[in-house]
Amino acid sequence: MNAQAPTIPERDPAAGASPVMAQFFEAKARQPDALVFFRMGDFYELFFEDAQKASAALGITLTARGEHGGQPIPMCGVPVHAAEAYLAKLIRAGFKVAVCEQMESPAEAKKRGSKSVVRRDLVRVVTPGTLTEEGLLDARGANRLAAISVRAGAAAVAAVELSTGEVECLAVQVPGLASALAALSPSEILVPDRLFADEAVSAALKAAGGFVQPLPQALAEPAASEARLKRLYGVDTLDGFGQLSGAEVSALGLIAAHLETTQAGKAPALSAPRRAGEADVMVIDPATRSSLEIEKATSGSRDGSLLAAIDRTITAPGARLLAARLARPLLDPAAIDARLDAIAWFIEHRAQRQRLRELLRSMGDMARALSRLALGRGGPRDLGALRDGLGMAEQITALFASMRDPLVQPPEEIAAALRALNPALHADLADFRAMLKDGLGGELPALARDGGFVAEGVRPELDQARALRDDSRRVILGLEARLAADSGVALKIRHNAVLGYFVETTAKAAEPLMAPPLNATFIHRQTLANQVRFTTVELAELDAKIAQAGERALAIEAETFEAWREAAIRVAHGIQAAAEAAARLDVAAGLAEWAEDAGASRPTVDRSTAFEAEAARHPVVEAAVKRAGEAFTPNDCRLDGVGAAGARLSIVTGPNMAGKSTFLRQNALLAVLAQAGCYVPAKRLRIGVVDKLFSRVGAGDDLARGRSTFMAEMVETAAILTQATPRSLVILDEIGRGTATYDGLAIAWACAEALHEVNRCRALFATHYHELATLEGRLAYVANLSLRAKEWNGDLIFLHEAGPGPADRSYGVQVAKLAGVPPAVVSRARDVLERLEREAGAPAHLEDLPLFAAVAEPEAKYGPSVVEEALKALDPDGMSPREAMDALYKLKGLLA
Ligand SMILES: Nc1ncnc2c1ncn2[C@@H]1O[C@H](COP(=O)(O)OP(=O)(O)OP(=O)(O)O)[C@@H](O)[C@H]1O
C-alpha cells in the first residue's frame, strides 16, 4: 500500500469522482476539519487524509479502495457495531468526527432506479461536548459543552449538558471567567475567535483545560444569537428566561449555533437556562478547586476527592446533582437552609429514607434516555427507562402518601420534589406512562429497527403480520417433514441472508434429488464442499411471505416507536422535572446517610463573618488515617472577620507532618460543604457565608520544581491579594517557601500583613517562618495557632492537635529520621543545628530547612553522600543569623 497517499487536491477535489466518492467529497466539504465516518454497509469508512490520521490514531490497517485521479484512495474502516469505542478514542485524541449515514437501504435505492446509489447524509458531528452515547459517558459525571462571551465588559459562561438537556448560564466579570469555567468543568468550550486576543480570557481558557473550539465572531453577534436561540427553543421571545444580558444571549447563541451544525437539525430537549451570577455562588478558582480536591483528587480520579467521600447517592442523576452542588456552593443562607432541612428530615425519618433508597435502586436515568430520544439516537430501551422511571415516581408518591401525617410534613425541598413526581398532578405524564406500560413488551432492544418491543394487542395489524410470519415458520417445519417423507431423503430446511430459506442435504443424499423425477420438485441452488442446497416452488413462496410479513412487522414497529418518541418529546419538561426531583431526593437521602455514617452535624450558615468550628475533621484524610488503623484528631478553629471575638488571621506553625495542611484544608472544606447545603464533619460549625474561597496549598512543598513553582505561587498569591474581600476565606500554606533566599520570609510577612490590613478576610496562614509568630503582638486580629508534637526518647510523636500559641520547635531533624534519612546524615544535621543555634542565638526554627530538602527528595535521588557533603559544606561558625539563614536556603537550593 502506498503510504505516501495523495492529499485531497485543492480545486474541485470531486472532479471525476465515482458517484459514491462524490457523496464523500460533498460531506467532507461541509465538515472540512472533521474526520468523516462514511457509512458503507456494516462499516464506517474513512478516506484520504482522514484515513491516514485515523489509522494512526486507532492503530488500524490503512488500505486502499479504487482510484481517484489515477491514484489509489487511502482508506481504513471500523465496523459499525464497534464504532462507539473507536469514536471515543478519536475524540479523546482531539479529533472531531462527522458521521455520514446511509439514509435508505440498498433495496430502496434500487427502487428509485437501477443506477442509483444509496442516499447518504451527515447526521451528526461528534465533539467532546456533544457526546450522548451511554458507553462514552461517565454515568455519574456531567459532560458539558460551554461557551463564553464578553460584551461591554461583562462576561458570561453558558453550558449545556446535551445528554440531559440541562442548560446553565453564569454571568460574571472577566476576571471571574476562570472560576466560572472551573465551576462547570466543561469538556468543550466554544470561544468567539476575537476573544483569543484577550489576555485574561486566554489565561482563563488555559486554566480550564478541555477542548477549545474557536467560532467566528459573527456567530456571537447579539441579533444573530437571539434569532438562533429562539429557533433552538421554538419560542417567539426570550422574555420567559428573564432579563438576559448581551453576554448571556451571545454565549447561549454560540451553543445554539454549535448544536445546529453538530446535531444536523435534530432539536435536543433543553431546559430553560438556569441562571446565576457572582452574587449567587461561591467563587472558587481552578487552583483552589484542585488543591482542595473537591470533585477530583490531584491524581485526576474521583477517588480521594471530597465528592467521593460524601457521595452515598443511589442513582447516576443523583450523583451528578451532588457533584454540581459541591462545585457551586451557594451564598444565600435561606437556600442553603432549605437543602439542610431536607437532610435533617431524612435523618429523622430513617424508615422512609431507607425505603426511598430501595425504590431509587430501580430508577433508570430518565434525563439521559429522554435526551437520546429527542436527538434521534434513542431506542426502545430508552422508552423503557422512562416507563420505569415514571413508575418509580408513582411508587415514591405512594410511599410518602402512606405516611402523610400533619406533624411530619416534609420540608419544602422534599415537598416540591414530591409534587414534581406525583402522577395525580401531571395527567399528561401519567397517560404517557400508561401508554408505555401497555405498549412496550418483552426484552427491549437498544434500536427500534431490531423490533420485537411492541406488546401484543397494541396494533392489530402488527399482530397479524407477526402471526403470518410465525405461522409460516411453523408451516416450514411441516414442509420439511413432508419433503423428507415424500423424497425419502434426509434433508433440512435452513435459512441464511443470501439464499433465504433453502433445502439442504449432504452431497451424497443430494444425488436422487438431482435426478428425475425428484428434480422436478427440487430446484438446485448451490453446491458446497459437503452440502447441496435446493429450493422448491412452495418453499420460495413461503419465503417471500415470511420476508414480507417480517418487514411489515418491523415497519409497523418503527412507526409505533416514532409515535412514542414524539409523545415523549411532548412531555419532555414534565419528565425532566420528575428526573430532577428524584435526583434531589436521592441527594438529600444520600447526604443524610453519609451524615449518620460520618457523625456529621448540621452547620449554621448566616450573613455574619464568623467561622467557628468545633471538633472538625477532614473527611478524606480521616478515612485514610482510619484505614491505617489510627484515630483522627478533631480540631477546633475560630476565625472572626470582625475581630471582637479574636483573630481573623491565624498563623499556623508546627513541625513537618504535624497536620498543618490537613488542618487548613479541612476548614476550607467545611465552608464548601456547609454552603453546598451538606452536613459537616464537625461537632458544631457556624459560618458567615464565604463569597470567595482561596487556597494556596501544596505546590510550594515541591522543591524539585524550584523557580517555576515559586512563580506559580506568586501569581496565585497575587490573585488572592487582589480579589479577597472581607467575606472571603483564604488558606495559605508555606508562602514564600519556593524561593531560595531570605526573600521568602519577607514575602510571607508582607502577604500576612496585606491579608490583615487590606483584604481583612478570614485566613489561615501556615508557615515555617517562625518569625511570623511575632505578628500576634503587632497586628490587632492575628493569633498564633500550632499543631503539637512531642519528643519521646528521641523520637517524635505527632499529636495533630491544634492549640493556641506558636510551635516551640519544628523537629525537622526528627522528621528526617522518620523519613528514613541515613543516621549519619541525621546526626550531622543535629550537630549543624546545635552550632547554628549557639551562633545565631538559638533560632531553633532554622533547623528544618536543609532537612526538609532531604525529606522531600530522599536519598534515592541524591544518595546519602550528597546530602552529607552538603551539610559538611555548611560551616556556620562565625555566621550572623541572616547569613546562616541564607546559607541554609542555598543548601536547600543545592539539594533541589
Ligand atoms: N488531625 C489529624 N489526626 C490524625 N492524623 C492526622 C491529622 N492531621 C494530619 N494527620 C496525619 O499526618 C499526616 C501529615 O499531615 P499534613 O500533611 O497535614 O502535615 P503538615 O504539617 O502540613 O506537613 P508538612 O509541613 O510536611 O507539609 C497526614 O497525612 C495524616 O496521616
Side-chain angles (χ1 to χ4, degrees), residues 405-431:
D405 167 344
L407 293 179
V408 293
Q409 272 306 322
E412 182 51 25
E413 169 86 4
I414 297 176
L418 291 175
R419 285 196 296 275
L421 288 168
N422 190 341
L425 301 178
H426 305 279
D428 53 347
L429 282 187
D431 291 347

Side-chain angles (χ1 to χ4, degrees), residues 231-505:
R231 231 179 7 249
L232 179 67
Y233 277 102
V235 294
D236 295 329
T237 159
L238 301 180
D239 292 353
F241 301 155
Q243 195 68 50
L244 294 173
S245 73
E248 284 174 302
V249 171
S250 129
L252 287 163
L254 285 176
I255 288 190
H258 194 59
L259 292 182
E260 272 178 13
T261 29
T262 59
Q263 305 308 303
K266 280 270 174 2
L270 299 182
S271 74
R274 186 167 302 166
R275 301 168 62 209
E278 276 169 318
D280 303 308
V281 288
M282 183 193 277
V283 172
I284 313 175
D285 62 38
T288 300
R289 226 169 257 282
S290 70
S291 90
L292 292 178
E293 306 181 297
I294 296 175
E295 290 158 89
K296 278 187 213 146
T298 29
S299 64
S301 92
R302 212 178 119 103
D303 289 345
S305 68
L306 174 66
L307 176 60
I310 69 165
D311 185 0
R312 299 282 189 284
T313 56
I314 303 276
T315 66
R320 296 198 298 265
L321 179 63
L322 179 63
R325 286 192 179 176
L326 271 194
R328 272 153 282 170
L330 302 176
L331 299 188
D332 175 19
I336 294 166
D337 263 329
R339 292 180 182 178
L340 294 171
D341 286 345
I343 302 172
W345 195 88
F346 275 120
I347 290 179
E348 227 172 283
H349 298 86
R350 197 155 196 263
Q352 275 78 33
R353 182 177 93 217
Q354 241 86 78
R355 184 78 193 98
L356 170 73
R357 285 165 63 79
E358 268 162 39
L359 290 177
L360 287 173
R361 262 175 233 289
S362 20
M363 183 109 184
D365 199 331
M366 284 203 285
R368 284 196 168 168
L370 175 69
S371 180
R372 276 193 296 272
L373 287 166
L375 290 166
R377 277 164 227 156
R381 207 169 284 162
D382 294 305
L383 287 175
L386 299 186
R387 172 196 62 191
D388 300 345
L390 293 172
M392 253 335 115
E394 200 165 280
Q395 293 199 41
I396 292 171
T397 306
L399 165 69
F400 280 81
S402 71
M403 48 155 299
R404 226 1 94 77
D405 167 344
L407 293 179
V408 293
Q409 272 306 322
E412 182 51 25
E413 169 86 4
I414 297 176
L418 291 175
R419 285 196 296 275
L421 288 168
N422 190 341
L425 301 178
H426 305 279
D428 53 347
L429 282 187
D431 291 347
F432 175 70
R433 170 167 181 257
M435 182 179 78
L436 291 185
K437 196 170 159 222
D438 297 338
L440 283 172
E443 186 113 342
L444 301 179
L447 296 172
R449 66 157 185 261
D450 293 335
F453 56 90
V454 178
E456 241 183 86
V458 177
R459 304 272 309 257
E461 65 276 35
L462 173 63
D463 296 345
Q464 254 173 22
R466 281 177 174 166
L468 195 65
R469 183 192 65 196
D470 300 343
D471 253 7
S472 310
R473 282 191 185 138
R474 261 195 303 280
V475 175
I476 281 198
L477 283 181
L479 178 64
E480 182 185 84
R482 190 149 44 80
L483 288 174
D486 290 357
S487 64
V489 170
L491 55 81
K492 285 256 169 263
I493 293 184
R494 298 193 195 279
H495 182 268
N496 73 24
V498 179
L499 295 184
Y501 285 98
F502 53 84
V503 172
E504 190 174 87
T505 65

Side-chain angles (χ1 to χ4, degrees), residues 621 625 631-633 635 655-662 701 768 800:
V621 177
V625 166
F632 189 90
T633 312
N635 275 309
N656 295 113
M657 294 296 290
K660 298 185 295 298
S661 302
T662 304
D701 286 1
H768 274 76
H800 302 120

Side-chain angles (χ1 to χ4, degrees), residues 35 37 46 49-60 76 90 95:
L35 303 178
F37 264 37
L46 295 105
E49 284 175 338
D50 289 1
Q52 292 165 332
K53 289 180 193 160
S55 64
L58 298 173
I60 57 176
C76 67
L90 289 172
F95 292 104

Side-chain angles (χ1 to χ4, degrees), residues 438-758:
D438 297 338
L440 283 172
E443 186 113 342
L444 301 179
L447 296 172
R449 66 157 185 261
D450 293 335
F453 56 90
V454 178
E456 241 183 86
V458 177
R459 304 272 309 257
E461 65 276 35
L462 173 63
D463 296 345
Q464 254 173 22
R466 281 177 174 166
L468 195 65
R469 183 192 65 196
D470 300 343
D471 253 7
S472 310
R473 282 191 185 138
R474 261 195 303 280
V475 175
I476 281 198
L477 283 181
L479 178 64
E480 182 185 84
R482 190 149 44 80
L483 288 174
D486 290 357
S487 64
V489 170
L491 55 81
K492 285 256 169 263
I493 293 184
R494 298 193 195 279
H495 182 268
N496 73 24
V498 179
L499 295 184
Y501 285 98
F502 53 84
V503 172
E504 190 174 87
T505 65
T506 59
K508 193 153 193 292
E511 281 165 20
L513 301 186
M514 295 204 269
L518 288 176
N519 66 351
T521 311
F522 291 89
I523 307 159
H524 176 256
R525 304 240 23 213
Q526 200 178 28
T527 300
L528 305 175
N530 299 314
Q531 279 96 26
V532 185
R533 291 166 175 179
F534 302 88
T535 188
T536 72
V537 173
E538 198 181 354
L539 182 59
E541 274 168 10
L542 269 175
D543 190 5
K545 221 159 140 191
I546 293 172
Q548 258 175 21
E551 257 169 47
R552 177 151 168 69
L554 283 180
I556 298 169
E557 289 209 78
E559 196 185 290
T560 313
F561 173 77
E562 192 50 31
W564 287 342
R565 191 183 82 86
E566 280 164 18
I569 294 166
R570 279 195 297 276
V571 293
H573 288 296
I575 293 176
Q576 280 165 342
E580 204 210 307
R584 280 167 178 266
L585 293 179
D586 189 14
V587 166
L591 285 172
E593 193 83 7
W594 170 71
E596 265 191 9
D597 288 356
S601 71
R602 178 175 182 148
T604 305
V605 185
D606 56 31
R607 294 196 187 277
S608 71
T609 50
F611 188 97
E612 300 160 19
E614 214 178 294
R617 294 161 283 135
H618 188 303
V620 181
V621 177
E622 179 181 26
V625 166
K626 277 192 176 153
R627 269 196 303 276
E630 279 161 39
F632 189 90
T633 312
N635 275 309
D636 299 349
C637 179
R638 190 172 175 133
L639 299 167
D640 218 310
V642 287
R648 61 172 176 249
L649 172 60
S650 273
I651 304 288
V652 183
T653 46
N656 295 113
M657 294 296 290
K660 298 185 295 298
S661 302
T662 304
F663 177 75
L664 261 58
R665 285 177 220 238
Q666 94 187 13
N667 287 301
L669 292 182
L670 291 182
V672 171
L673 283 171
Q675 290 182 223
C678 305
Y679 274 35
V680 292
K683 193 166 156 213
R684 191 181 76 86
L685 174 72
R686 175 173 169 237
I687 180 171
V689 277
V690 169
D691 64 348
K692 301 178 188 180
L693 178 66
F694 294 99
S695 155
R696 243 300 310 153
V697 177
D701 286 1
D702 189 357
L703 280 183
R705 281 201 280 160
R707 284 254 160 70
S708 63
T709 303
F710 179 64
M711 259 319 280
E713 174 186 307
M714 285 301 108
V715 168
E716 286 171 26
T717 309
I720 295 173
L721 295 177
T722 52
Q723 292 169 30
T725 77
R727 290 219 155 275
S728 304
L729 176 63
V730 173
I731 64 171
L732 285 169
D733 201 359
E734 309 285 2
I735 281 299
R737 197 165 164 169
T739 178
T741 69
Y742 202 50
D743 299 348
L745 171 58
I747 290 170
W749 187 289
C751 286
E753 269 184 0
L755 285 175
H756 181 269
E757 299 293 304
V758 182

